[in-house]
Amino acid sequence: MAQVLSPGAVPEPELKFEKEEEWRENLNVRLMCKDCREDPPNLYEDHASGDLICADCGLVLQQRTIDQSSEWRTFSNDDQGNDDPSRVGDGPNALLNGAQLNTNIAFDAGGKSSKELSRAQNRANLDKGNKSLLSAYKQIGALCDGWQLPTSVSDTAKHIFKDAEESRLFKGKSQEALIAGCVFLACRRNNVPRSFREVMELTKVSKKEIGRVFKLLENFLMKREKEKEGQSHMVAGGVVVTSDGAYKGSGTADPSDLCSRYCSMLGMDQQTTNVAIELAAKTNNTGALAGRSPLSAAAACIYMASHLMGAPKNAKEIQAVAGVSDSTIRHAYKLMYADREKIITKEMLRDRGDPDRLPRPS
C-alpha cells in the first residue's frame, strides 16, 4: 500500500517478513557402514547393549541408542517369583464408573500386615457401585458361558445392564430378573435368539417376570434412542444427517434362526436343515402359521422337512428340543399341510425330497 507523505517527511522503510521453512527430515541421508558401504546397509540393533552394529563386518556404528519399542516390566510379583511382562495396569473399563485410577493393596496369603492393609482398604473403599456392577457382570458372563454364546452377546448384555442401572428406572426390580432380561435382549440383538422358556430354565426366573422386564428394557432403549436422535440431528447445507445404528426394537424371534439351532441339536444333516429354514421363510411369506409362536412354527417346519427328506423325526423328539407339546406341533403341521402346494417348491426338494412322504395329519 503506497504511503501518503506530508512535505518534508522522511518515508519509513517497508518491513519484509520472510516465511521460515518447516523442518523436514532429509530422507536421502542414510546410515551405512563406512567399511562395507553396502546399499541398502545390513545393520543389526542389539537391544541388550544398545548398539547399532553392521551385520557383515561387526563394526559398531552407534552406541547407547534409545529403544523406541514398548518396555515391559512389573514389580508386583517379584516376591512370588512370577515372570509377569506387564508394566502397566489394565486399561479403563467402559463398563465401570469413575476414573479407575485407584491403587489396590495386594492380598498376600503369607503376610499378616498385607492382610490387615488389604482389609482396611476394602473397608475404606466408598465405591460400592462398581462392586455391584462387577457382581452382575460375573453372573451375566456365567449365563452366557452356559449357553456357549459369543463374547458379543455377553458384552451387549453388560452394556444394557449398566445403562439400566444408571437410569434408576428399574429400582425395586430384582437383579436376577434384570440380568435375565438383559441376556434375553442381547441374544435377540445379536441374532442368536433364545425363547422365554429357555431363559427361565437357565436363570430360574419366572417367564412372566422376564417378559415384564424385557418390555421395560425395550421401552427404555427406544426412548433413549429417540432422545439421542433428536440431539444428533445436524443440518448441513439443507440436509438432515442422523446417526446410524439407532435401536429400533428387537421384534419377535425368527423361526429360521430357531430351525438352524434345533436341527443342529437333533443331529440332522445340512440339506435337511436348509429345507427347514426355507420352509420357515415360506410360511412367513404366505402366512400359513399366522398367529403361531416362533417355537411352534420352527418345530412344525422341522417336522415337515424331516419327512420330506426321508429322515423323519417324530413329534416327541422335536418336543424335547423345542420345548412345545407334540399336540401343538401336530396342529401347526396340519396348517402347513393344507398349504403345502404354496410352501413346497421344486428348488427346495433338490432331487431328494418327495412330497408323497409327508404323513397325513390326523
Side-chain angles (χ1 to χ4, degrees):
M1 182 176 179
Q3 298 181 9
V4 180
L5 302 176
S6 59
V10 180
E12 296 180 359
E14 294 184 1
L15 299 178
K16 296 183 179 180
F17 298 94
E18 294 183 0
K19 185 178 180 181
E20 296 182 0
E21 294 185 1
E22 183 181 356
W23 181 87
R24 294 182 181 179
E25 182 181 1
N26 189 356
L27 300 179
N28 294 323
V29 179
R30 289 183 295 177
L31 179 65
M32 64 174 57
C33 179
K34 64 179 182 179
D35 294 339
C36 301
R37 294 188 177 277
E38 291 187 358
D39 190 16
N42 186 14
L43 304 180
Y44 167 71
E45 186 176 359
D46 187 0
H47 295 280
S49 61
D51 296 337
L52 188 63
I53 308 169
C54 177
D56 294 331
C57 66
L59 179 65
V60 178
L61 304 180
Q62 288 184 358
Q63 292 180 332
R64 296 185 180 181
T65 56
I66 298 175
D67 187 6
Q68 302 292 338
S69 60
S70 303
E71 54 179 345
W72 302 98
R73 187 70 179 94
T74 184
F75 302 95
S76 60
N77 296 322
D78 282 357
D79 55 343
Q80 301 176 13
N82 295 335
D83 185 16
D84 185 2
S86 175
R87 181 177 177 85
V88 296
D90 296 334
N93 191 348
L95 295 171
L96 298 178
N97 299 320
Q100 303 170 33
L101 299 176
N102 302 341
T103 300
N104 295 326
I105 300 175
F107 183 85
D108 187 6
K112 183 178 179 181
S113 60
S114 62
K115 289 182 182 180
E116 295 176 354
L117 287 172
S118 179
R119 290 171 182 169
Q121 186 193 32
N122 291 335
R123 286 194 297 267
N125 189 8
L126 301 177
D127 192 5
K128 304 297 183 182
N130 282 343
K131 288 187 176 181
S132 62
L133 286 175
L134 288 173
S135 175
Y137 296 158
K138 186 177 180 180
Q139 294 183 41
I140 291 173
L143 293 176
C144 294
D145 290 342
W147 271 336
Q148 297 181 354
L149 295 172
T151 310
S152 58
V153 178
S154 177
D155 293 341
T156 303
K158 291 174 183 177
H159 280 286
I160 294 174
F161 181 86
K162 183 176 185 293
D163 293 340
E165 280 287 303
E166 291 178 349
S167 67
R168 301 293 182 182
L169 297 175
F170 298 86
K171 196 172 182 180
K173 295 289 182 182
S174 67
Q175 191 178 59
E176 290 76 13
L178 184 56
I179 290 174
C182 292
V183 172
F184 179 83
L185 186 56
C187 289
R188 285 198 174 185
R189 294 184 68 173
N190 287 273
N191 299 321
V192 284
R194 295 296 187 269
S195 63
F196 282 110
R197 185 178 289 107
E198 289 175 302
V199 179
M200 178 186 67
E201 292 175 355
L202 184 68
T203 60
K204 309 304 179 185
V205 180
S206 66
K207 187 165 65 173
K208 184 177 180 181
E209 188 66 21
I210 297 173
R212 186 182 295 113
V213 173
F214 166 69
K215 288 296 182 184
L216 291 175
L217 285 171
E218 282 267 88
N219 295 334
F220 162 67
L221 293 175
M222 292 284 287
K223 183 178 179 181
R224 191 186 63 173
E225 285 299 331
K226 286 182 180 179
E227 293 176 355
K228 285 185 178 180
E229 187 177 346
Q231 295 174 0
S232 62
H233 279 206
M234 295 176 294
V235 180
V239 179
V240 179
V241 181
T242 60
S243 59
D244 296 331
Y247 181 72
K248 299 179 180 178
S250 62
T252 58
D254 190 358
S256 302
D257 297 332
L258 298 175
C259 284
S260 178
R261 186 157 57 89
Y262 291 162
C263 288
S264 176
M265 296 170 68
L266 289 168
M268 303 173 71
D269 59 274
Q270 188 60 43
Q271 194 171 5
T272 307
T273 302
N274 294 337
V275 172
I277 293 173
E278 292 179 14
L279 285 173
K282 282 287 184 179
T283 53
N284 281 341
N285 295 334
T286 59
L289 295 178
R292 292 283 165 179
S293 70
L295 295 176
S296 304
C301 291
I302 295 173
Y303 183 81
M304 176 176 278
S306 64
H307 285 83
L308 274 174
M309 305 305 287
K313 297 286 183 182
N314 57 45
K316 291 288 185 182
E317 293 177 283
I318 302 174
Q319 174 190 358
V321 172
V324 293
S325 63
D326 56 344
S327 60
T328 303
I329 298 174
R330 294 182 186 278
H331 185 68
Y333 169 73
K334 184 177 181 180
L335 298 176
M336 292 181 62
Y337 186 84
D339 289 344
R340 62 187 182 279
E341 295 180 357
K342 299 179 182 178
I343 298 173
I344 302 173
T345 60
K346 292 182 180 179
E347 295 80 7
M348 185 185 300
L349 300 178
R350 297 180 179 86
D351 300 329
R352 177 183 162 187
D354 186 4
D356 296 334
R357 295 175 182 158
L358 294 177
R360 289 183 175 274
S362 55

